[in-house]
Amino acid sequence: MSPRIGLDLPALLNAAAELADAEGFEAVTLATLAQKLKIRPPSLYNHVAGLPELRRLLAHRGLEELAAWLEGEVAGLSGDDAVRAFSRAYLSFAREHPGLYQALQAAPSPGDELLEQAGERVLEQIYRTMDGYGLSGDSAVHAVRTIRSLLHGFVTLEQQGGFGLPLDLDVTFRLMVDTFLAGVKNPDSFKS
């Protein structure tokens, strides 16, 4: 069977990303994607080898989009301004693309160069954002792990409805980032 005219891998991934963002990453199956595209599920095999490859390609797309999003927001900034912009951009990406955000959370399989390189691009942006705080070696790794954990934890709690009190979440987020910044400026905070 030949591929449907107008349907190529980028169009398929666009539809899958829309589906993930609207209904959640786990809702992306070959059947739901075929239904969205108004094609038969076997037609998808002209573009992807199956659901694992589709989800892998969605994860790659999410990592690439997140990296571009972060790079654009942090460009030309340094210090606290960079960390605040990075943090806001991370949260904005997760809010606007919740399905893609979920897709990029799984660690790549060993040797999966496509996902490893895309993930490395995001990590490099985090390390560049943290430049200027005098951290190196293990201290830099601890600081990067800390900000990633804070951001991911906040995003996950928000996406799962874990903040039930009627307080402005953006204020909570700002306070969390400011608390991290206060800690990262303490020379003893991230020593092993």
Side-chain angles (χ1 to χ4, degrees):
M1 173 183 276
S2 62
R4 186 180 109 189
I5 295 175
L7 181 63
D8 57 11
L9 185 57
L12 186 144
L13 289 175
N14 286 342
E18 289 173 9
L19 183 62
D21 286 342
E23 298 183 31
F25 180 60
E26 292 304 316
V28 177
T29 65
L30 296 179
T32 58
L33 182 57
Q35 182 179 14
K36 179 174 178 57
L37 293 167
K38 297 179 179 26
I39 61 174
R40 294 179 318 151
S43 299
L44 295 172
Y45 288 97
N46 291 313
H47 306 283
V48 293
L51 185 59
E53 182 182 8
L54 175 63
R55 288 186 170 176
R56 176 179 168 265
L57 292 173
L58 270 181
H60 177 258
R61 180 183 177 138
L63 286 165
E64 288 293 325
E65 287 190 21
L66 176 59
W69 195 296
L70 296 171
E71 290 163 1
E73 292 298 314
V74 177
L77 300 176
S78 62
D80 292 1
D81 291 337
V83 173
R84 285 187 180 102
F86 177 94
S87 299
R88 285 189 308 269
Y90 188 98
L91 179 61
S92 293
F93 178 85
R95 284 176 172 171
E96 290 189 35
H97 300 288
L100 279 181
Y101 182 79
Q102 289 173 344
L104 62 83
Q105 295 311 310
S109 300
D112 187 336
E113 290 185 28
L114 182 74
L115 290 182
E116 287 175 356
Q117 288 174 358
E120 190 63 32
R121 186 174 164 202
V122 172
L123 277 176
E124 287 172 6
Q125 183 58 54
I126 299 172
Y127 278 99
R128 278 194 303 274
T129 300
M130 294 303 301
D131 279 352
Y133 290 98
L135 302 172
S136 61
D138 290 350
S139 295
V141 172
H142 291 309
V144 166
R145 284 179 176 172
T146 301
I147 192 71
R148 284 183 67 203
S149 298
L150 288 169
L151 296 175
H152 177 68
F154 189 93
V155 165
T156 301
L157 285 167
E158 182 178 69
Q159 286 182 346
Q160 294 177 356
F163 296 121
L165 296 176
L167 290 172
D168 188 337
L169 290 178
D170 291 333
V171 172
T172 303
F173 186 79
R174 180 183 51 78
L175 291 170
M176 178 188 73
V177 173
D178 287 350
T179 301
F180 170 78
L181 288 171
V184 82
K185 291 174 190 172
N186 178 343
D188 296 326
S189 292
F190 290 98
K191 291 194 175 165
S192 311

